[in-house]
Amino acid sequence: MAGHNDHSLIHDPAIDRWATMRETTYQHFRWTRRTVSLSVLYLVAIPVGLTYLAYKTHDKDFEGKGNGFTWRRDVPEKKQ
């Protein structure tokens, strides 16, 4: 009823090659300068940077900017 014959789909060998490549990528992986640098970036540099940022901003009070409030530490005195 639904047409289970072999002529209903067009076979594309490029799709088969692509699917095979995706299934066996791990078998053909090689460590190169690029893969090592990306691995170090994602597995070391970013977590260390985020941890450093978290520890540096741990004690800071990030309230919203209110009336008369400024983020500057060296606020000059207002002249009347």
Side-chain angles (χ1 to χ4, degrees):
M1 292 207 333
H4 293 292
N5 55 11
D6 292 333
H7 305 293
S8 61
L9 295 176
I10 299 173
H11 181 73
D12 190 358
I15 293 177
D16 287 339
R17 286 193 307 268
W18 178 79
T20 303
M21 183 268 310
R22 285 212 30 156
E23 293 170 359
T24 61
T25 300
Y26 69 95
Q27 295 172 349
H28 304 288
F29 178 77
R30 289 187 182 174
W31 286 104
T32 61
R33 185 178 301 257
R34 181 175 186 263
T35 57
V36 168
S37 62
L38 287 176
S39 298
V40 167
L41 175 69
Y42 290 130
L43 298 174
V44 176
I46 291 177
V48 167
L50 289 175
T51 304
Y52 174 77
L53 182 66
Y55 278 113
K56 288 297 277 188
T57 60
H58 177 68
D59 294 331
K60 298 209 185 285
D61 187 18
F62 289 109
E63 292 181 6
K65 186 172 170 73
N67 191 13
F69 179 78
T70 181
W71 286 103
R72 289 180 53 189
R73 292 184 183 181
D74 57 340
V75 178
E77 297 289 330
K78 288 188 176 181
K79 294 182 182 178
Q80 295 180 359

